[in-house]
């Protein structure tokens, strides 16, 4: 059986991806900070799909912790076939001159540095085995910038650049590298962006049908399930009612 490692598995796209890969009979290595949620998920998915699941509490921003968790993993769980670098967040939506520098640090540390720390421990295993697939969750925000999206958009542009760079570096080792880039997906993303303001978060998705986490998980699975000689480089996935980062068709 193959193994997928999903970061940010406690919610949204990561959570939905865990179910899709369990359905497809992958063993799951699941990481996030909220380990209690992972424990509940693991029991549910084990009962439903009969796959093996290992959960780790991991803040991807903490380089030492990422390395320690990795070192302490049983060997079986280090043999990762697919890495989904999904852990990420947005904080705030302010013009640059009013931006909160703690928010900036949090986004850069999670979306860029965290993705790098996790990739740094997993990629050598794939290199030695000469197979594997790294799937980075980018965003439409990595393709264009929108008002007040400044730092979040920058982090997702960095993910876009890193995906391309990884693909070049991994090329001699038969490792696929893919970016899956969604538009608006209704998850906890906006609740986190607006720091717990559920009302404000809900308004983001009013008047149109956003993507669901399951829609994105199925797109990730599509990329992961292509034949060995096919790599999906980049998959930009939008709600039908969204034409760009800022242009939506909303019912009044
Ligand atoms: P959610 O907020 O629902 O999920 C985010 C996940 O990331 C949670 O499981 C959270 O777990 C985890 N996470 C956040 N910070 C850390 C950290 N420091 N260390 C480990 N895990 C962390 O949002 P989404 O599912 O929407 O977001 C998933 C990815 O998709 C992100 O990279 C996001 O940028 C991207 N994306 C989202 C879009 C959207 O519209 N929703 C569109 C395009 C891209 P925990 O808090 O337990 O640590
Ligand atoms: C999340 C989607 O449009 O808020 O990456 O940037 S958006």
């Amino acid at each position: 059986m193959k193994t997928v490692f999903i970061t940010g598995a406690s919610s949204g796209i990561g959570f939905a991806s865990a179910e899709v890969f369990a359905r497809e009979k992958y063993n799951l290595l699941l990481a996030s900070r909220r380990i209690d949620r992972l424990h509940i998920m693991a029991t549910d998915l084990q009962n439903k799909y009969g796959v093996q699941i290992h959960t780790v509490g991991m803040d991807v921003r903490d380089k030492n912790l990422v390395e320690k968790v990795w070192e302490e993993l049983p060997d079986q769980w280090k043999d990762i076939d697919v890495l989904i670098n999904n852990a990420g967040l947005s904080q705030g939506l302010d013009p640059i001159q009013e931006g909160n520098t703690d928010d900036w640090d949090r986004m850069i540390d999670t979306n860029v540095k965290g993705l790098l720390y996790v990739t740094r421990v997993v990629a050598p295993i794939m290199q030695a085995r000469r197979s594997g697939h790294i799937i980075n969750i980018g965003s439409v925000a990595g393709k264009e910038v929108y008002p007040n999206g400044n730092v979040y958009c920058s982090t997702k542009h960095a993910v876009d650049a890193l995906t391309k760079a990884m693909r070049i570096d991994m090329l001699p080792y038969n490792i696929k590298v893919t970016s899956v880039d969604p538009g608006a997906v209704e998850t906890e993303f906006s609740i986190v962006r607006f720091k717990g303001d559920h009302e404000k978060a809900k308004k983001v998705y009013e008047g149109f049908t956003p993507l669901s986490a399951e829609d994105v998980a199925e797109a990730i699975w599509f990329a992961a399930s292509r034949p060995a000689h096919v790599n999906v480089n980049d998959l930009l996935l939008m709600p039908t009612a969204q034409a760009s980062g800022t242009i939506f068709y909303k019912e009044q």
Side-chain angles (χ1 to χ4, degrees):
M1 269 168 93
K2 290 187 172 178
T3 300
V4 61
F5 178 16
I6 305 173
T7 67
S10 61
S11 170
I13 295 167
F15 183 98
S17 300
E19 171 130 28
V20 167
F21 278 77
R23 181 192 75 198
E24 301 298 337
K25 301 297 176 207
Y26 273 65
N27 292 326
L28 310 180
L29 175 60
L30 306 178
S32 73
R33 292 166 301 177
R34 287 172 292 181
I35 188 78
D36 49 329
R37 284 200 185 193
L38 297 183
H39 288 154
I40 295 167
M41 277 174 77
T43 307
D44 285 352
L45 294 178
Q46 251 153 9
N47 290 340
K48 208 164 161 190
Y49 299 104
V51 296
Q52 292 182 51
I53 303 177
H54 191 78
T55 57
V56 287
M58 184 193 273
D59 185 332
V60 297
R61 294 172 296 178
D62 185 339
K63 181 169 58 173
N64 294 332
L65 178 64
V66 171
E67 289 171 357
K68 182 169 177 287
V69 166
W70 181 256
E71 275 161 25
E72 290 173 358
L73 267 183
D75 281 348
Q76 167 208 352
W77 286 104
K78 290 183 180 166
D79 194 21
I80 289 160
D81 297 282
V82 180
L83 165 63
I84 305 179
N85 274 318
N86 166 73
L89 82 184
S90 181
Q91 288 278 272
L93 195 60
D94 304 306
I96 203 84
Q97 67 278 14
E98 292 169 18
N100 176 322
T101 53
D102 290 336
D103 289 349
W104 296 355
D105 287 343
R106 202 153 168 227
M107 289 187 275
I108 293 166
D109 289 349
T110 310
N111 302 357
V112 183
K113 292 165 73 180
L115 179 146
L116 284 168
Y117 298 152
V118 174
T119 304
R120 181 64 185 85
V121 293
V122 176
I125 296 281
M126 294 181 170
Q127 178 185 11
R129 203 186 47 215
R130 285 183 151 58
S131 72
H133 195 166
I134 299 171
I135 301 177
N136 295 327
I137 307 305
S139 170
V140 63
K143 305 293 181 188
E144 53 184 280
V145 290
Y146 51 79
N148 304 327
N150 42 63
V151 176
Y152 178 70
C153 294
S154 302
T155 66
K156 290 300 182 179
H157 276 69
V159 172
D160 192 53
L162 284 169
T163 300
K164 291 172 185 150
M166 285 181 196
R167 194 176 301 122
I168 295 167
D169 294 348
M170 302 281 102
L171 188 66
Y173 308 107
N174 188 39
I175 298 167
K176 299 184 185 192
V177 185
T178 295
S179 177
V180 173
D181 304 311
V185 194
E186 190 165 10
T187 59
E188 293 178 12
F189 177 85
S190 291
I191 298 168
V192 173
R193 167 173 263 174
F194 297 125
K195 302 179 180 173
D197 187 336
H198 287 250
E199 282 311 305
K200 201 167 173 185
K202 212 167 132 219
K203 284 198 171 59
V204 173
Y205 309 105
E206 276 174 5
F208 75 107
T209 306
L211 295 173
S212 67
E214 291 72 22
D215 294 327
V216 182
E218 292 295 353
I220 294 169
W221 172 246
F222 173 80
S225 58
R226 292 311 85 209
H229 69 289
V230 178
N231 184 55
V232 177
N233 281 7
D234 199 348
L235 208 161
L236 179 60
L237 181 74
M238 306 286 275
T240 306
Q242 183 179 7
S244 76
T246 50
I247 303 173
F248 291 80
Y249 181 77
K250 294 195 178 191
E251 301 289 342
Q252 295 308 309

